[in-house]
Amino acid sequence: MSTYVLLHGAWHGGWAWQRVVPLLRAAGHEVHAPTLTGLSDRAHLLSPSVGLSTHIEDVVALLEAHDARDVVLVGHSYAGQVVTGVADRIPQRVARRVYLDAFVGEAGEAAIDLQPETVAGHYRDSVAGPGFGWLIPVRSLQVLGVTDQADVDWLTARLTPHPWLTYTEPLRLTGAGDKVAASFIECTDWMRVFQTHAERAAERGWPVHTIPTGHEAMVTAPGALAELLLGECAA
């Protein structure tokens, strides 16, 4: 039995994994899908001071409280930064890092600097306007490759603004996490913002897998995603 810890991306919450969690548990594994500080059911804790280090601490505290070991740590999108930070802090508890269409950052890199410039520009503009200078408003789901109206409706009702500091705070790493095995899963049926990160993963010698779906694979392709997580990405 493994322990899977599933980390959501910007605007989401632990609920985003509802279609994947039962599949992993049915295979006999322990699964945690926490909501990061300031998002969704923890939106009451949102403030301008919530940053990347806050979310790394969220997950470190979770793993230590449960004395979780041999963890398969999965990060979607923005949460790739969190996965990297957690593995660096407590590598002895993490068996594998899985980056699901996610940032593969290095020491000193912030999420905003890891995006294509056009996308980063949209983020900066939205933060400066409707984001009041410290929030990232929710992006269009159609832009993220969600096409089924039922999925759009389900997601839209639950998404919340995301703290900007998480995108501007750089990773501070010791290099300890580099020893933890890693895999990358790229979602290919959308604008492929994370293609360069899949390439970075391949350059590092990580296994790179693909799922022919939009960016929200845990919603639009839960079966294919669970199959990868239970198979090659858990080895």
Side-chain angles (χ1 to χ4, degrees):
M1 185 181 72
S2 298
T3 298
Y4 286 81
V5 176
L6 312 176
L7 306 180
H8 63 84
W11 315 298
H12 293 63
W15 55 264
W17 300 96
Q18 283 182 18
R19 301 177 186 180
V20 175
V21 169
L23 302 177
L24 301 181
R25 287 181 176 159
H29 301 290
E30 182 177 350
V31 185
H32 299 275
T35 294
L36 301 172
T37 296
L39 281 301
S40 190
D41 51 292
R42 302 187 70 204
H44 59 289
L45 301 174
L46 182 61
S47 78
S49 65
V50 174
L52 174 60
S53 57
T54 311
H55 290 166
I56 291 170
E57 191 59 43
D58 283 341
V59 182
V60 169
L62 173 73
L63 269 57
E64 290 180 340
H66 288 270
D67 194 24
R69 299 180 184 278
D70 297 320
V71 170
V72 179
L73 188 60
V74 183
H76 175 238
S77 196
Y78 151 74
Q81 291 284 85
V82 183
V83 166
T84 298
V86 171
D88 189 76
R89 280 274 301 277
I90 48 172
Q92 71 277 10
R93 293 186 181 274
V94 183
R96 177 169 289 275
R97 300 170 284 156
V98 181
Y99 295 78
L100 172 59
D101 228 25
F103 294 120
V104 177
E106 298 179 348
E109 292 183 329
I112 191 63
D113 300 320
L114 293 170
Q115 292 182 315
E117 187 51 45
T118 53
V119 176
H122 289 310
Y123 274 53
R124 292 188 178 98
D125 290 344
S126 63
V127 170
F132 308 107
W134 66 279
L135 291 171
I136 310 172
V138 176
R139 291 205 81 197
S140 163
L141 289 166
Q142 285 81 1
V143 170
L144 300 179
V146 182
T147 56
D148 185 272
Q149 191 59 48
D151 290 337
V152 171
D153 293 343
W154 188 75
L155 284 160
T156 299
R158 293 163 174 80
L159 299 177
T160 56
H162 190 88
W164 178 228
L165 183 59
T166 63
Y167 268 70
T168 59
E169 182 180 352
L171 281 165
R172 298 176 178 86
L173 306 175
T174 66
D178 294 344
K179 299 176 183 178
V180 179
S183 303
F184 194 95
I185 302 173
E186 188 193 0
C187 302
T188 57
D189 282 9
W190 71 302
M191 61 191 295
R192 300 184 72 178
V193 168
F194 293 93
Q195 183 175 8
T196 57
H197 295 275
E199 293 168 354
R200 180 179 278 195
E203 289 168 0
R204 295 182 180 186
W206 302 355
V208 176
H209 310 277
T210 59
I211 299 178
T213 192
H215 185 52
E216 307 279 276
M218 64 282 184
V219 174
T220 59
L225 175 56
E227 184 177 351
L228 276 177
L229 294 179
L230 290 168
E232 296 179 46
C233 289

